[in-house]
Amino acid sequence: RKEVEQDPGPFNVPEGATVAFNCTYSNSASQSFFWYRQDCRKEPKLLMSVYSSGNEDGRFTAQLNRASQYISLLIRDSKLSDSATYLCVVNDSTLTFGKGTMLLVSP
Amino acid sequence: EPEVTQTPSHQVTQMGQEVILRCVPISNHLYFYWYRQILGQKVEFLVSFYNNEISEKSEIFDDQFSVERPDGSNFTLKIRSTKLEDSAMYFCASSEEGGGNQPQHFGDGTRLSIL
């Protein structure tokens, strides 16, 4: 059974803070990883892919450690609009989602 | 930006009735998916569809579920005899290609409420 585990939430941070989310996955053969965000009662939206060498998209940085089967997402200078649930997702032709970690950014 | 569209946004149905949830995937995408999310729980894979046939399905996708691509644009999920536990958000997704590296793009979902 494929499992994706994430930090329990919620994370409450002030605007401007840096916050990190962690995720582990069970299938060592998995090749493809993503972070999605989901606003309350909305659809998951692709935030970014996660590449082996690590990748950055503006304030967001994703890292992958295949040996530890560990994925992370770092958000720098957090904004109020970053408040959402962040979903760690493993793609083995179908998507396996983590339960998500809720982020609440306050003024 | 092209998007996946789903109708209806909310469906309320009596237990035992049939429901059909509709999706229009992104036009140049070839792979289609249905997922569901029970309130407060994680998003779960139901089924994937390619070249007019099911390519993979989960244990959730039992005999009461079926999918169809009746024409060149729509992709439907039918639940034959709904149960209370079928109440959930149902998301359609599509991707340009199959395989692990392709991101899937989600529609905004149909909220199914079974009474």
Side-chain angles (χ1 to χ4, degrees), chain B residues 29-31 33 95-99 102-103:
Chain B
H29 285 189
L30 301 177
Y31 292 79
Y33 312 86
S95 62
E96 199 167 336
E97 295 173 15
Q102 293 297 315

Side-chain angles (χ1 to χ4, degrees), chain A residues 32 36 38 43 91 93-95, chain B residues 35 37 56 100 102 104 107:
Chain A
S32 182
Y36 280 72
Q38 186 175 30
E43 76 275 21
N91 191 346
S93 76
T94 66
L95 299 184
Chain B
Y35 294 83
Q37 187 175 31
E56 201 166 339
Q102 293 297 315
Q104 296 178 20

Side-chain angles (χ1 to χ4, degrees), chain B residues 5-71:
Chain B
T5 57
Q6 290 185 242
T7 54
S9 56
H10 191 189
Q11 174 81 46
V12 182
T13 302
Q14 291 287 335
M15 187 172 60
Q17 296 296 306
E18 175 183 285
V19 293
I20 297 177
L21 310 183
R22 301 179 194 280
C23 169
V24 179
I26 295 173
S27 61
N28 64 330
H29 285 189
L30 301 177
Y31 292 79
F32 315 122
Y33 312 86
W34 284 101
Y35 294 83
R36 79 168 186 194
Q37 187 175 31
I38 294 170
L39 187 63
Q41 298 187 23
K42 63 174 73 174
V43 177
E44 301 173 288
F45 167 73
L46 293 178
V47 65
S48 59
F49 192 86
Y50 169 70
N51 200 25
N52 281 319
E53 60 184 29
I54 291 173
S55 44
E56 201 166 339
K57 61 182 180 180
S58 72
E59 57 195 23
I60 301 169
F61 194 88
D62 61 22
D63 291 345
Q64 70 162 342
F65 291 91
S66 61
V67 288
E68 194 178 29
R69 187 152 164 84
D71 54 44

Side-chain angles (χ1 to χ4, degrees), chain A residues 1-5 31-34 36 38 41-44 46 49 87 91-99, chain B residues 33 35 37 39-45 48 56 59 89 91 99-109 111:
Chain A
R1 186 183 173 95
K2 301 172 190 173
E3 298 286 347
V4 177
E5 301 292 336
Q31 295 293 316
S32 182
F33 311 93
F34 302 93
Y36 280 72
Q38 186 175 30
R41 296 183 172 238
K42 299 284 190 180
E43 76 275 21
L46 179 66
S49 303
L87 307 175
N91 191 346
D92 298 310
S93 76
T94 66
L95 299 184
T96 301
F97 284 80
K99 287 188 83 170
Chain B
Y33 312 86
Y35 294 83
Q37 187 175 31
L39 187 63
Q41 298 187 23
K42 63 174 73 174
V43 177
E44 301 173 288
F45 167 73
S48 59
E56 201 166 339
E59 57 195 23
M89 281 292 288
F91 294 110
N101 288 323
Q102 293 297 315
Q104 296 178 20
H105 299 271
F106 284 74
D108 55 8
R111 180 170 302 281

